[in-house]
């Protein structure tokens, strides 16, 4: 298959509502110029509606923008005076309200202004793509399709790609490649059926949950305790999610299913229960009005009690019997126990899973090409750890199928529709090493062969496709200890992966990093530090540090810090290029490792920071030293202090980046570091970078011997800032003591301003001041609190 690429110089988004504005924001994140359209304002600036939406983007948290500066890439426009701006757009995405007539009217208005080869896509969440295509001139229909983003577009992986009858296949291939690499999305191709794949299955799961919650008399908080992380789903579970989405919005989606799926065997359930309607009538629409299933009373969360028609303190408790069942590791035994138990909570869980499996099996052929796309759609769109087919397969396919059939005959299921014949043909599931079941072709279909997927060396898999966590044994092991594995895929690049929990950096990891750098120098063209799953690293292993403090082994603690510095410097001065492939959290020592590698390749969703202040310490793996060195370089012989000041505040306030772009602004990443949007492509890009650096004759910089520092004057100025913060009660006394030591380390100690020092000098000051803090009771309290609660103590 040819490598079809789209050149997207400019994109237009029609509709500046919640979705349209955020789709535009994510295009801007990817450095794609965007024109955002809406109706002309009735008064004042004709672009007032769009400008208001753009202003709102800057206020939202989590931010739709990777950095506020990206907002400049979005141009405001309106349908009244600016349609000519569509003429140079390569892609137009319509994202207005879910009204067929409104969308069709807009298409007729904009069509004359489009280039012949412009791709026109609708972000509809469930309207017919073919019906919408009918409103387009026949010449433009081959370029028309559905591109359904999930909210919020920056953070949700899923995009459903839906062709109309005349969509050009090569257009779909090119658009999928653009969505996967440029925007970092997980793409599934859906059929043109109401609500497509994810919402068709996901909303049905919510409907089934409503039904069984009422049937078994379970409180909304109890249901959320049962349907969140306990079964591999998001913390917001069911009713909290409904509050966030909006009860009116969810009701509209359910009504759409009722209006468009009249022949669905479950149609009688596509309606809001009476108790749900009562909440709508009361105006309890969820988070946007402050009350729905839940409301906040002071700092407490209260939940609606339907029997009393009033809110009560929420007590999301799982029954002890259920806790025992849910701790069962074997999925087959767990499902057997749920079905056998007569406890209402167990019967509730069995009921929602059984009906979900039943519904998904019956509708697979109508909504998707294969079972893999259904499971990925639900995982990526709803945040489930496993899709419905994976869950069923793990629980024992034929046994569960038999139980479903028994319940259908007993009238316990929400519909008496028979299971498809393929379900009962003796198979062990729908996912195999050969591929995933496609009922239309009646065979197991393999993965897409689009060239873009060759960039995903270890693509996300479904259960049964390949051995779980197969990355751990991939390639050829070069070196391994308790903390790390150094391995290669035979292409001249060594890959260093940490084995510790949260990829924390303890003595085993430190020794492993140092040894891996030495081995990379002897037999490889480059070294990539990469973890199969985020985080990159949550920082130093505090348990090891706490153990040394408890035994008052301060000399060993200092030796550990020295070894940390040795590891950072090994990465920096390795004779082959070192590349950090980073995604997720890179905190403390993890951030310092990234800063010391020859280059970083970071996923957009990378959250970096030197957060040692939270445990009463300063960065001592070279972080203070590295910021001092970078400030001196940036000053180019001028005043160093302005370049150091922001870095000092980052450390003192434990500032963590909100994206990889933000990490560049904060100085954790260099401007020359590479950002990729799809984390599945990190390893591919990092290896290519390492090889390119090697081909270019890479040599590490020599250890700096003449770094000008701010010295005593810089320390005094930073301390003055701290005094003001202390007087204003923004920081505690111990915060101030920590920050003063940070200032001393970053300014090179109490020397005269402009004094030239070495990297080793700066490292020695880091280590000395770090160890001073280790001996203080308040720092020891902070370390203990972090280990016990996972949260920083501000003592």
């Amino acid at each position: 298959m040819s490598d079809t690429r789209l050149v997207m110089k400019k994109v237009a988004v029609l509709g500046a509502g919640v979705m349209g504005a955020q789709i535009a924001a994510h295009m801007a994140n990817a450095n794609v110029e965007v024109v955002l359209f809406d109706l002309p304002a009735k008064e004042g600036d004709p672009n007032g509606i769009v400008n208001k939406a753009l202003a709102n983007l800057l206020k939202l948290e989590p931010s739709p923008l990777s950095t506020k500066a990206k907002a400049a890439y979005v141009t405001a426009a309106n349908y009244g005076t600016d349609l000519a701006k569509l003429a140079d757009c390569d892609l137009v995405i319509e994202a207005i309200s879910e009204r067929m007539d409104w969308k069709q009217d807009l298409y007729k208005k904009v069509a004359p202004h489009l280039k012949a080869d412009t791709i026109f896509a609708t972000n509809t969440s469930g309207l017919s793509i073919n019906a919408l295509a009918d409103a387009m001139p026949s010449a433009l229909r081959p370029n028309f399709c559905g591109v359904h983003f999930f909210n919020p577009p920056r953070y949700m992986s899923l995009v459903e790609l839906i062709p109309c009858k005349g969509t050009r296949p090569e257009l779909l291939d090119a658009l999928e490649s653009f969505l996967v690499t440029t925007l970092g999305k997980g793409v599934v191709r859906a059929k043109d059926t109401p609500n497509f794949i994810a919402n068709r299955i996901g909303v049905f799961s919510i409907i089934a949950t409503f039904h069984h919650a009422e049937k078994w008399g379970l409180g909304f908080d109890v249901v959320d305790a049962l349907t969140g992380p306990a079964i591999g789903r998001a913390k917001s579970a069911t009713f909290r999610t409904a509050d966030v989405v909006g009860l009116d919005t969810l009701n509209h989606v359910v009504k759409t299913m009722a209006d468009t799926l009249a022949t669905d065997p479950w149609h009688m359930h596509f309606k809001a229960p009476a108790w749900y309607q009562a909440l709508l009538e009361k105006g309890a629409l969820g988070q946007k009005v402050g009350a729905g299933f839940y409301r906040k009373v002071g700092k407490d969360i209260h939940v609606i009690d339907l029997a009393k028609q009033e809110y009560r303190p929420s007590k999301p408790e799982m029954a002890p019997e259920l806790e025992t069942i849910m701790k069962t590791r074997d999925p087959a035994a767990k499902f057997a126990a749920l079905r056998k138990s007569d406890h209402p909570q167990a019967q509730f869980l069995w009921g929602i899973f059984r009906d979900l499996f039943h519904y998904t099996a019956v509708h697979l052929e109508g909504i998707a090409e294969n079972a893999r796309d259904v499971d990925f759609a639900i995982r990526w769109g709803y945040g489930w750890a496993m899709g419905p087919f994976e869950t069923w397969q793990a629980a024992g396919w034929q046994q569960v199928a038999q139980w479903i059939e028994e319940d259908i005959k007993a009238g316990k299921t929400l519909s008496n529709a028979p299971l498809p014949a393929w379900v009962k043909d003796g198979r062990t599931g729908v996912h195999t090493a050969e591929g995933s079941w496609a009922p239309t072709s009646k065979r197991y279909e393999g993965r897409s062969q689009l060239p873009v997927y060759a960039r995903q060396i270890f693509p996300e898999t479904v259960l049964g496709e390949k051995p779980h966590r197969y990355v751990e044994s991939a390639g050829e092991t070069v070196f391994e200890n308790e903390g790390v594995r150094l391995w290669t895929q035979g292409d001249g690049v060594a890959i260093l992966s940490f084995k510790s929990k949260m990829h924390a950096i303890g003595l085993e990891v430190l020794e492993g990093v140092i040894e891996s750098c030495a081995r990379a120098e002897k037999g490889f063209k480059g070294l990539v530090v990469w973890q199969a799953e985020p985080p990159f690293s949550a920082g130093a292993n505090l348990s090891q540090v706490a153990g040394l403090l408890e035994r008052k082994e301060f000399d060993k603690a200092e030796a550990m810090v020295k070894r940390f510095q040795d590891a950072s410097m090994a990465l920096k001065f390795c004779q082959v290029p070192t590349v950090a492939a980073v995604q997720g959290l890179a905190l403390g020592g993890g951030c310092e490792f990234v800063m010391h590698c020859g280059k970083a390749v970071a996923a957009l969703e990378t959250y970096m920071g030197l957060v040692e202040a939270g445990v009463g310490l300063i960065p001592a793996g070279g972080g203070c030293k590295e910021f001092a060195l970078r400030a001196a370089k940036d000053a180019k012989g001028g005043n160093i202090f302005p370049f150091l000041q922001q870095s000092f505040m980052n450390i003192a306030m434990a500032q963590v980046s909100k994206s990889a772009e933000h990490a560049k602004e904060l100085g954790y990443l260099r401007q020359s570091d590479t950002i990729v949007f799809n984390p599945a492509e990190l390893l591919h890009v990092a290896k290519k970078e390492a090889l390119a650096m090697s081909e270019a004759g890479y040599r590490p910089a020599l250890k700096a011997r003449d770094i000008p520092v701010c010295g005593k004057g810089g320390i005094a100025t930073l301390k003055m800032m701290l005094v003001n913060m202390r007087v204003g009660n923004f920081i505690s006394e111990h915060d101030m003591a920590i920050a003063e030591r940070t200032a001393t380390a970053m300014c090179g100690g109490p020397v005269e301003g402009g004094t030239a020092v070495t990297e080793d000098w700066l490292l020695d000051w880091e280590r000395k001041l770090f160890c001073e803090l280790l001996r203080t009771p308040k720092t020891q309290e902070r370390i203990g609190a972090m280990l016990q609660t996972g949260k920083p103590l501000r003592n």
Side-chain angles (χ1 to χ4, degrees):
M1 186 176 292
S2 63
D3 190 356
T4 308
R5 296 184 181 275
L6 285 178
V7 176
M8 290 290 182
K9 293 183 178 178
K10 186 180 289 188
V11 171
V13 177
L14 310 181
V18 172
M19 281 301 292
Q22 293 200 46
I23 290 170
H26 196 54
M27 292 287 179
N29 289 338
N31 291 348
V32 176
E33 187 178 349
V34 191
V35 184
L36 179 59
F37 282 83
D38 211 299
L39 294 167
K42 294 179 180 179
E43 297 179 358
D45 182 357
N47 294 328
I49 293 174
V50 175
N51 285 327
K52 183 177 179 181
L54 293 175
N56 191 50
L57 287 177
L58 298 172
K59 300 174 186 175
L60 289 177
E61 288 293 340
S63 176
L65 295 160
S66 60
T67 174
K68 290 184 178 181
K70 296 289 184 177
Y73 294 167
V74 184
T75 300
N78 69 85
Y79 306 129
T81 61
D82 298 324
L83 288 178
K85 292 182 178 179
L86 293 169
D88 57 351
C89 290
D90 303 299
L91 169 66
V92 176
I93 299 175
E94 171 270 305
I96 68 170
S97 298
E98 292 290 271
R99 282 272 301 268
M100 180 72 75
D101 54 340
W102 290 0
K103 290 177 186 287
Q104 290 174 332
D105 286 345
L106 180 61
Y107 295 178
K108 292 172 184 175
K109 182 182 294 185
V110 303
H113 300 275
L114 302 179
K115 294 186 299 183
D117 59 350
T118 295
I119 299 171
F120 194 98
T122 173
N123 184 58
T124 178
S125 59
L127 296 179
S128 169
I129 302 301
N130 283 295
L132 289 169
D134 288 342
M136 299 292 292
S138 57
L140 297 180
R141 289 176 197 166
N143 293 344
F144 183 80
C145 64
V147 178
H148 180 213
F149 289 82
F150 272 61
N151 191 25
R154 170 183 163 185
Y155 300 97
M156 296 302 291
S157 176
L158 179 63
V159 172
E160 293 174 313
L161 190 57
I162 316 102
C164 68
K165 292 177 182 176
T167 307
R168 293 185 294 118
E170 60 271 24
L171 176 145
L172 293 172
D173 290 348
L175 192 52
E176 182 169 350
S177 298
F178 170 76
L179 291 165
V180 169
T181 287
T182 305
L183 298 186
K185 296 304 170 189
V187 175
V188 299
R189 297 203 186 184
K191 296 184 179 181
D192 185 20
T193 56
N195 286 10
F196 311 128
I197 299 175
N199 279 342
R200 182 73 175 273
I201 302 302
V203 173
F204 173 79
S205 178
I206 292 172
I207 291 170
T209 301
F210 285 2
H211 173 87
H212 288 290
E214 183 175 16
K215 177 180 178 180
W216 296 104
L218 302 182
F220 301 129
D221 48 351
V222 171
V223 169
D224 279 355
L226 295 170
T227 59
I231 57 172
R233 299 184 187 176
K235 285 183 179 180
S236 55
T238 302
F239 293 107
R240 182 74 187 104
T241 296
D243 271 0
V244 173
V245 170
L247 274 66
D248 53 342
T249 302
L250 180 58
N251 186 56
H252 173 75
V253 175
V254 173
K255 186 178 184 301
T256 299
M257 291 180 71
D259 293 344
T260 57
L261 295 168
T263 61
D264 191 301
W266 283 262
H267 183 267
M268 73 288 289
H269 298 291
F270 296 166
K271 59 184 179 181
W275 51 264
Y276 192 98
Q277 288 289 358
L279 288 173
L280 291 174
E281 290 167 8
K282 289 169 63 175
L285 304 181
Q287 183 173 279
K288 59 189 171 187
V289 297
F293 291 108
Y294 297 92
R295 75 175 182 187
K296 199 168 184 180
V297 180
K299 293 184 178 181
D300 299 323
I301 302 297
H302 287 216
V303 65
I304 189 75
D305 187 317
L306 289 179
K308 297 180 180 178
Q309 283 296 300
E310 61 185 32
Y311 288 89
R312 60 165 174 79
S314 175
K315 295 181 180 178
E317 296 176 348
M318 183 185 293
E321 181 177 333
L322 259 292
E323 288 183 355
T324 300
I325 293 174
M326 298 311 289
K327 288 177 181 176
T328 306
R329 291 185 177 274
D330 178 15
K334 183 184 297 183
F335 272 84
L338 287 174
R339 189 169 190 269
K340 182 179 180 181
S341 172
D342 58 3
H343 195 286
Q345 292 186 12
Q347 285 300 303
F348 162 80
L349 280 179
W350 164 247
I352 65 169
F353 276 114
R354 174 201 62 212
D355 290 321
L356 172 64
F357 298 158
H358 186 192
Y359 188 85
T360 308
V362 168
H363 288 296
L364 170 60
E365 186 169 0
I367 65 175
E369 296 297 338
N370 56 65
R372 182 192 308 106
D373 284 349
V374 171
D375 280 343
F376 277 155
I378 291 296
R379 277 163 51 171
W380 294 339
Y382 279 76
W384 295 8
M386 295 175 68
F389 285 128
E390 291 178 287
T391 307
W392 182 351
Q393 186 164 326
W397 185 270
Q398 289 302 326
Q399 177 62 80
V400 171
Q402 179 185 327
W403 288 337
I404 294 172
E405 287 216 298
E406 290 173 3
D407 283 5
I408 292 172
K409 292 175 183 176
K412 294 181 179 179
T413 54
L414 291 181
S415 167
N416 61 4
L419 285 172
W422 59 264
V423 170
K424 303 170 287 181
D425 63 3
R427 71 181 60 237
T428 57
V430 291
H431 303 305
T432 68
E434 183 182 349
S436 293
W437 180 250
T440 301
S441 61
K442 295 181 172 55
R443 63 187 179 88
Y444 292 96
E445 292 186 349
R447 291 295 192 101
S448 167
Q449 295 302 301
L450 279 178
V452 69
Y453 292 111
R455 296 167 59 86
Q456 299 183 10
I457 299 174
F458 295 107
E460 192 169 345
T461 60
V462 287
L463 183 76
E465 185 177 9
K466 289 182 179 178
H468 190 49
R469 296 188 66 78
Y470 67 99
V471 177
E472 292 182 350
S473 58
E476 177 187 350
T477 299
V478 177
F479 160 76
E480 190 168 15
N481 68 5
E482 292 183 5
V484 308
R485 177 176 178 245
L486 182 70
W487 53 287
T488 183
Q489 294 182 297
D491 53 5
V493 178
I495 304 166
L496 175 61
S497 300
F498 300 170
K499 295 160 56 177
S500 50
K501 184 178 179 181
M502 296 289 287
H503 305 131
I505 303 168
L507 282 168
E508 309 85 6
V509 172
L510 296 175
E511 297 300 335
V513 169
I514 294 168
E515 178 65 20
S516 294
C517 288
R519 297 210 180 201
E521 288 179 341
K522 293 177 181 177
F524 296 92
K525 296 178 180 178
L527 172 67
V528 171
V529 186
W530 174 81
Q531 321 297 0
E533 299 287 343
F536 177 80
S537 174
N541 186 329
L542 280 182
S543 295
Q544 285 189 359
V545 175
L548 295 173
L549 295 181
E550 188 176 337
R551 297 188 296 272
K552 299 190 182 304
E553 295 176 334
F554 295 107
D555 289 346
K556 289 185 178 179
E558 182 170 358
M560 182 177 178
V561 179
K562 177 63 168 67
R563 209 58 177 151
F564 214 128
Q565 295 177 338
D566 292 342
S568 293
M569 298 297 268
L571 288 168
K572 183 170 184 176
F573 296 113
C574 186
Q575 295 301 299
V576 297
T578 55
V579 178
V582 56
Q583 67 165 314
L585 294 175
L587 302 179
C591 180
E592 288 172 304
F593 277 178
V594 176
M595 292 174 73
H596 281 82
C597 284
K599 187 175 183 67
V601 175
L604 180 69
E605 302 310 326
T606 293
Y607 314 113
M608 296 179 68
L610 297 175
V611 297
E612 286 84 354
V615 289
L617 296 166
I618 69 169
C624 293
K625 177 268 302 179
E626 199 63 21
F627 269 137
L629 179 59
R630 293 181 184 185
K633 285 183 178 178
D634 291 340
K636 297 178 181 177
N639 185 5
I640 300 168
F641 187 81
F643 297 94
L644 195 69
Q645 185 175 0
Q646 182 57 54
S647 300
F648 168 76
M649 292 304 297
N650 291 345
I651 296 175
M653 305 307 292
Q655 179 76 35
V656 176
S657 72
K658 296 180 179 180
S659 70
E661 289 281 6
H662 190 212
K664 286 189 175 184
E665 290 185 352
L666 296 176
Y668 297 130
L669 291 177
R670 293 156 292 208
Q671 291 302 315
S672 58
D673 287 331
T674 300
I675 296 175
V676 299
F677 274 53
N678 196 320
E681 297 181 352
L682 262 183
L683 181 57
H684 167 83
V685 176
K687 290 171 73 173
K688 292 291 186 184
E689 292 275 16
L691 290 170
M693 292 165 73
S694 176
E695 287 296 312
Y698 173 83
R699 292 289 301 164
L702 295 175
K703 189 178 288 188
R705 301 174 184 174
D706 55 352
I707 308 164
V709 293
C710 291
K712 292 185 288 187
I715 296 170
T717 305
L718 292 174
K719 282 185 176 181
M720 200 181 311
M721 291 168 48
L722 295 172
V723 169
N724 291 333
M725 295 175 72
R726 179 72 187 108
V727 170
N729 206 30
F730 294 108
I731 59 174
S732 70
E733 185 178 341
H734 195 53
D735 288 330
M736 187 165 176
I738 298 163
E740 285 177 348
R741 287 173 172 82
T742 301
T744 302
M746 295 182 75
C747 292
V751 297
E752 295 299 324
T755 299
V757 302
T758 65
E759 286 193 60
D760 286 336
W761 171 275
L762 292 170
L763 289 172
D764 288 345
W765 269 105
E766 272 189 18
R767 188 170 66 255
K768 175 180 182 294
L769 296 165
F770 181 98
C771 291
E772 278 183 13
L773 287 166
L774 273 184
R775 294 175 179 269
T776 64
K778 287 189 178 292
T779 285
Q780 293 171 15
E781 288 171 10
R782 289 194 180 193
I783 292 172
M786 180 62 76
L787 288 171
Q788 290 175 11
T789 68
K791 298 178 181 179
L793 171 68
R794 305 313 295 255
N795 55 354

